[in-house]
Amino acid sequence: MSGKDKEMLPISKETVEVDGVYTNERGLTEHLHRGQQFPSDPVLGATEWELTEFAFDNHHDGTTDPRLVPKENDTDKQEKITSPRRQQQGGDPS
């Protein structure tokens, strides 16, 4: 037997320990933050809540940092790697 089957899910009115999206037995989803209390379901009353998705606040918008994009008017292109296939060769060949 694994420890997973002995795990007890939090019930309404208990304190949230981890920020994230939680789903109850009826399928209602709530975005809850640490320190809040699990709400009661309007139909079932007290219900169990399961963490379905962690909440991450990393300020990432899915784009490349503009400092890493080569500029058209850059005069020092020889010192920058502008392509993944162009790598600097290290060491002296002699």
Side-chain angles (χ1 to χ4, degrees), residues 27-88:
L28 180 69
T29 59
E30 291 280 338
H31 184 80
L32 301 171
H33 299 281
R34 179 196 280 170
Q36 290 181 320
Q37 289 186 344
F38 288 100
S40 297
D41 187 83
V43 176
L44 299 175
T47 183
E48 291 182 337
W49 291 88
E50 183 176 3
L51 178 64
T52 54
E53 182 180 333
F54 287 105
F56 292 107
D57 188 18
N58 62 3
H59 307 289
H60 183 71
D61 58 358
T63 60
T64 303
D65 188 338
R67 296 173 292 178
L68 301 175
V69 177
K71 309 295 185 282
E72 285 297 322
N73 60 355
D74 192 359
T75 58
D76 192 19
K77 290 188 185 222
Q78 294 300 323
E79 295 300 320
K80 294 185 172 62
I81 298 175
T82 56
S83 167
R85 295 187 180 259
R86 182 178 165 264
Q87 297 292 322
Q88 298 286 340

Side-chain angles (χ1 to χ4, degrees), residues 5-42:
D5 56 348
K6 295 179 182 177
E7 180 182 312
M8 293 182 66
L9 297 174
I11 299 176
S12 298
K13 304 296 182 197
E14 288 185 8
T15 305
V16 176
E17 295 180 4
V18 178
D19 293 355
V21 177
Y22 290 85
T23 305
N24 70 359
E25 298 169 88
R26 192 169 64 101
L28 180 69
T29 59
E30 291 280 338
H31 184 80
L32 301 171
H33 299 281
R34 179 196 280 170
Q36 290 181 320
Q37 289 186 344
F38 288 100
S40 297
D41 187 83

